[in-house]
Amino acid sequence: MRIIAVGASVTGLAAAAALADAGHEVLLVERESAAPPSTLDDAADGWARPTVPQAAHSHAFGSRGTNLLRDRLPDVYEALLAAGAGTLNLADYPPPTLGDFERKPEDDELNMITARRSVFEFVLRERALSRPGVSVRTGATVRGLLTDGGPVRGVRLADGTELTADLVLDTSGRKTAAPQWLDAAGLPVPEQTSESCRITYYTRYYRRLTPAPPGPLNRGFGAGGLWDSYTAVLFLGDNDTFSISLGVLPDDKEMKALRTEEAFTAAIRATPLLAGWVAPGNSEPTSPVYAMGGLDNSSRLADPAGDLPVGFYGLGDSVCTTNPAYGRGVSLALAHVFELVDLLAEHPTVDRAQAARFAGASKALLAPWLGESIANDRGRGGLWAATIAGERPQAPPPGVLTFGAVVGASTKDAEIWRRVAQVMMSLVSPAELYANDEIKERVGRALAGGPPPQLPGASRADLVAAVRAATAGQQAA
């Protein structure tokens, strides 16, 4: 089958590699015209991606995606390790408050890769394009779909060129123009829902100078926490690198200065959990501070029982986006890719039945994570807004488990910790955590004596004072 994938970033590259391995011919159509870096070192040190703003920010490569790479794209997995990516298993990093942690067989799935996004994508691109049957056309912007009233049979480029295929995939990400393409072609457009994540991110990269980590790694793949008006998380990378991302409310005026290096550093130093990592002599920054906002939890998932376009399927962020803070984007994109690969093997005919099956599989895979992200963002956003306003945060309804409650309880109960890890790594459905009666009972018992001690972060007053002092010092200079 000849397939066109519109967008040659992570989802498109993974789809091309997986589909080529299944015997398909794939043409990647990419609007970016700039040539990618020619070497891994050039990519690692700063691969400018104007059409992929999230590429400049921290990434967690969770267990679901890591295991899929290991099992179904093993050459990519091995190439990442050869490029300096790290591997770890979260069960080797349980909270010390759990005492003698007893591993179980299912813990063997809690694997992660640690790497910078630029290194991950460079390796994936190199391996995908090395496959026979995979090609890429850069500087090519898709303006429409080709159809004669039946299945989609190709794309029309901005210069009028028409490219034909048996199947067209939308792998262009969260800024996809697919709704406009479908509407112009007279094809059904899936209903779109969107709700703000209520967060703006600031990220900076560093190289570690010490032989051992200069601070705690309470998350295994890094360190971090969520406090009453901000979040700060450190992500281990490849080759002794790491990144730190701060998250705040988009309308938090006091934190707008975090885009400056001085204020960003001051906020990290005001966070005891992470301060040691940026202490003089322990690391050196390798990038400016990157900012990213305007993030939504959104869905363009089609109703499998409704009117569907045939021969045109969206993958990953093109049909569903969630808050990047949860680190599921790559894992869910890979899972979505292999849903399609397996479906094409079972049902190769491009018809209404195929479209319905893929719509159903997409909804089953992605909708639960969208719901969890929306619920968690509402709770976290409400907490931060109340803190900034000097108000008491609204309590959740009786009997409803929150992300904060289960994470707190996980420091006291190994089974809760295991389930939280499995959900965070996208290995089991969120319902297995938030709607599980046994877990609810365990959380109640674990928190009966009160919440566990907070991770060492900054109070709102201390955070504001640190940022203000850094800003004042910058202005004085």
Side-chain angles (χ1 to χ4, degrees):
M1 184 181 292
R2 177 172 170 77
I3 299 172
I4 290 175
V6 182
S9 193
V10 167
T11 303
L13 292 167
L19 289 164
D21 288 350
H24 303 287
E25 180 184 347
V26 184
L27 170 63
L28 290 157
V29 178
E30 170 57 46
R31 63 174 175 153
E32 245 181 62
S33 57
S38 58
T39 68
L40 179 63
D41 287 342
D42 288 342
D45 290 339
W47 184 358
R49 302 299 307 282
T51 62
V52 190
Q54 69 270 26
H57 291 265
S58 301
H59 275 66
F61 300 102
S63 299
R64 188 164 186 167
T66 294
N67 295 339
L68 281 170
L69 287 176
R70 179 198 62 197
D71 298 340
R72 302 196 64 169
L73 292 174
D75 65 310
V76 177
Y77 182 84
E78 293 299 331
L80 283 166
L81 302 191
T87 60
L88 60 90
N89 185 287
L90 291 181
D92 294 331
Y93 300 88
T97 51
L98 294 180
D100 294 329
F101 178 78
E102 183 179 347
R103 284 188 63 145
K104 292 187 174 182
E106 58 262 39
D107 296 337
D108 292 342
E109 296 300 304
L110 294 171
N111 305 303
M112 294 188 72
I113 285 175
T114 57
R116 287 167 288 183
R117 158 71 185 248
S118 56
V119 169
F120 183 94
E121 185 166 348
F122 182 88
V123 169
L124 177 58
R125 180 185 178 89
E126 189 176 59
R127 296 310 309 152
L129 295 182
S130 73
R131 284 162 161 76
V134 175
S135 58
V136 61
R137 183 167 180 156
T138 58
T141 300
V142 172
R143 292 298 189 205
L145 303 175
L146 303 181
T147 178
D148 293 324
V152 173
R153 57 178 182 82
V155 299
R156 182 179 297 104
L157 304 184
D159 64 4
T161 301
E162 294 187 350
L163 305 174
T164 60
D166 302 304
L167 192 67
V168 175
L169 306 179
D170 178 15
T171 56
S172 58
R174 63 178 64 236
K175 300 297 185 181
T176 177
Q180 290 80 17
W181 302 337
L182 290 166
D183 184 59
L187 297 172
V189 180
E191 179 185 1
Q192 178 171 340
T193 63
S194 182
E195 182 172 324
S196 173
C197 297
R198 298 185 69 190
I199 197 165
T200 294
Y201 290 105
Y202 300 91
T203 298
R204 198 177 194 191
Y205 288 83
Y206 300 82
R207 187 171 302 280
R208 177 167 56 85
L209 302 177
T210 58
L217 292 170
N218 67 305
R219 296 192 175 189
F221 65 86
L226 172 69
W227 293 282
D228 61 1
S229 68
Y230 77 115
T231 183
V233 183
L234 178 147
F235 296 78
L236 295 177
D238 53 274
N239 299 297
D240 296 326
T241 62
F242 64 91
S243 61
I244 298 177
S245 290
L246 295 172
V248 296
L249 283 177
D251 55 358
D252 188 345
K253 295 180 180 179
E254 293 281 3
M255 295 298 115
K256 297 291 185 182
L258 290 175
R259 65 180 61 251
T260 69
E261 295 174 2
E262 293 80 6
F264 185 92
T265 302
I268 301 302
R269 289 177 174 167
T271 304
L273 183 67
L274 301 179
W277 288 85
V278 297
N282 287 348
S283 65
E284 60 183 7
T286 61
S287 78
V289 177
Y290 300 107
M292 180 173 65
L295 298 167
D296 296 317
N297 293 304
S298 66
S299 168
R300 299 180 188 88
L301 293 166
D303 179 359
D307 198 9
L308 298 168
V310 175
F312 179 82
Y313 305 141
L315 290 172
D317 281 354
S318 296
V319 292
C320 184
T321 64
T322 57
N323 189 336
Y326 306 119
R328 297 196 179 102
V330 172
S331 281
L332 292 180
L334 287 169
H336 206 193
V337 163
F338 285 107
E339 288 279 1
L340 178 62
V341 172
D342 294 342
L343 172 60
L344 295 181
E346 297 171 11
H347 189 118
T349 303
V350 180
D351 57 12
R352 171 66 174 70
Q354 185 192 75
R357 285 186 58 179
F358 189 63
S362 300
K363 200 164 190 175
L365 170 68
L366 301 172
W369 304 109
L370 175 68
E372 190 217 21
S373 188
I374 290 172
N376 288 344
D377 284 350
R378 287 175 180 172
R380 186 254 318 143
L383 167 65
W384 288 358
T387 298
I388 293 170
E391 301 171 352
R392 181 187 297 274
Q394 184 176 0
V400 173
L401 287 185
T402 65
F403 179 71
V406 295
V407 169
S410 72
T411 64
K412 298 183 177 184
D413 185 306
E415 286 305 313
I416 300 174
W417 178 87
R418 180 172 286 110
R419 189 64 55 82
V420 168
Q422 290 170 336
V423 170
M424 292 303 297
M425 294 295 104
S426 309
L427 293 174
V428 302
S429 167
E432 292 299 316
L433 176 63
Y434 298 103
N436 183 285
D437 290 339
E438 179 189 353
I439 294 296
K440 285 184 177 181
E441 291 178 5
R442 284 180 172 273
V443 170
R445 291 196 298 269
L447 299 181
Q454 274 271 13
L455 289 167
S459 67
R460 174 66 181 178
D462 289 344
L463 183 65
V464 169
V467 170
R468 284 180 177 176
T471 304
Q474 181 186 14
Q475 291 173 343

